[in-house]
Amino acid sequence: ILNVEQSPQSLHVQEGDSTNFTCSFPSSNFYALHWYRWETAKSPEALFVMTLNGDEKKKGRISATLNTKEGYSYLYIKGSQPEDSATYLCAFKNTGNQFYFGTGTSLTVIP
Amino acid sequence: NAGVTQTPKFRILKIGQSMTLQCTQDMNHNYMYWYRQDPGMGLKLIYYSVGAGITDKGEVPNGYNVSRSTTEDFPLRLELAAPSQTSVYFCASSSIQDFLDGYTFGSGTRLTVV
C-alpha cells in the first residue's frame, strides 16, 4: 500500500482569491497522476491526467503542475468562485495496475 | 452514453444479510474497479478487473466477492454483511489508456449495515 498525501485537508477562501493544494506521492515507479473534482453527492470527475515530469495542464481557471522526481503535484485555482467548492482528489498510479487515492482537499469558496 | 451506472443508490442491510451491488458501463472499457469511501478516508480499492474473466484483489477485499463475466458488468457481492461494511461504494471504469482519460465513476451506493 502506497502513501498519497494531500494538503491541506480543508481550505476556506473568499470569492476571487487564488489558491493551491499539494499532492505528494512516491517518486519511484511513476506512471501517472490524476486530479479529480468531487462535488458533494456526486461522483468524482477527472480534471487532469499527467504523465511526464514537468507537465503543466490547464482548464479554464484551474491548472496543475507535476514533479515526478521529487514526488509532488500542485493544483492551482485562480480567482476562486463559489462553484469551485468541492473536494479535489489526486490519484497516483505506479507501473502496476492500481491507483492510490489521496484523502482529498476540501475547498469552500465563500461568496 | 450513460457512462457507469450503479444500482441501488441506497440500501440498508441487517447483519448477516447478503446483497449484490450492480455496476454496468457502456464505454467498452476493459478496466473496472470497486472502491469504498469511509468518512475522512480516501477511496480504498476493493477489487478490480482488467478484462472479462479476470479479477484481482485490491487493498481491502475481505468480505467481498466479484465476477466479470462480460466487459460491461462488474457486480460486487457482500455475502455476510457486517457493520464495518457500512460505507459509500463507487464503481469506476477506464480504458487501457487511462493515462489519457482517467477514470469514469458511477454515482455511488450508500450502504448501511445495522
Side-chain angles (χ1 to χ4, degrees), chain A residues 55-71:
Chain A
D55 254 356
E56 291 189 28
K57 301 268 182 162
K58 188 174 181 181
K59 186 181 293 186
R61 294 177 292 97
I62 304 176
S63 60
T65 61
L66 178 67
N67 184 322
T68 60
K69 293 183 179 179
E70 296 183 41

Side-chain angles (χ1 to χ4, degrees), chain A residues 31 34 36 38 43 49 93 99, chain B residues 42 48 90 98-99 102-103 106:
Chain A
Y31 184 80
H34 290 197
Y36 290 84
W38 194 355
S43 53
V49 175
K93 185 174 184 179
F99 271 115
Chain B
Y48 68 101
F90 287 94
D98 61 49
F99 60 88
Y103 283 14

Side-chain angles (χ1 to χ4, degrees), chain B residues 74-113:
Chain B
F74 191 40
L76 178 72
R77 178 89 179 154
L78 284 72
E79 291 294 349
L80 290 169
S84 60
Q85 293 177 304
T86 294
S87 189
V88 181
Y89 292 83
F90 287 94
C91 179
S93 72
S94 69
S95 66
I96 288 176
Q97 295 178 309
D98 61 49
F99 60 88
L100 295 177
D101 301 321
Y103 283 14
T104 301
F105 283 86
S107 56
T109 296
R110 185 174 295 276
L111 175 67
T112 303
V113 182

Side-chain angles (χ1 to χ4, degrees), chain A:
Chain A
I1 297 176
L2 302 178
N3 214 20
V4 179
E5 296 185 352
Q6 290 188 247
S7 61
Q9 190 173 5
S10 67
L11 194 57
H12 290 71
V13 300
Q14 293 290 329
E15 182 176 353
D17 287 350
S18 295
T19 187
N20 64 85
F21 335 126
T22 304
C23 173
S24 301
F25 50 86
S27 56
S28 59
N29 302 318
F30 177 86
Y31 184 80
L33 191 285
H34 290 197
W35 280 101
Y36 290 84
R37 182 171 180 272
W38 194 355
E39 292 181 74
T40 303
K42 295 186 178 180
S43 53
E45 292 184 15
L47 280 174
F48 302 116
V49 175
M50 310 178 79
T51 57
L52 298 174
N53 184 45
D55 254 356
E56 291 189 28
K57 301 268 182 162
K58 188 174 181 181
K59 186 181 293 186
R61 294 177 292 97
I62 304 176
S63 60
T65 61
L66 178 67
N67 184 322
T68 60
K69 293 183 179 179
E70 296 183 41
Y72 65 85
S73 175
Y74 294 139
L75 187 79
Y76 301 91
I77 302 180
K78 185 177 178 182
S80 302
Q81 299 297 308
E83 57 266 30
D84 296 329
S85 296
T87 295
Y88 292 83
L89 281 179
C90 69
F92 162 78
K93 185 174 184 179
N94 61 10
T95 48
N97 267 330
Q98 298 183 18
F99 271 115
Y100 297 91
F101 282 86
T103 54
T105 292
S106 174
L107 173 67
T108 303
V109 181
I110 303 163

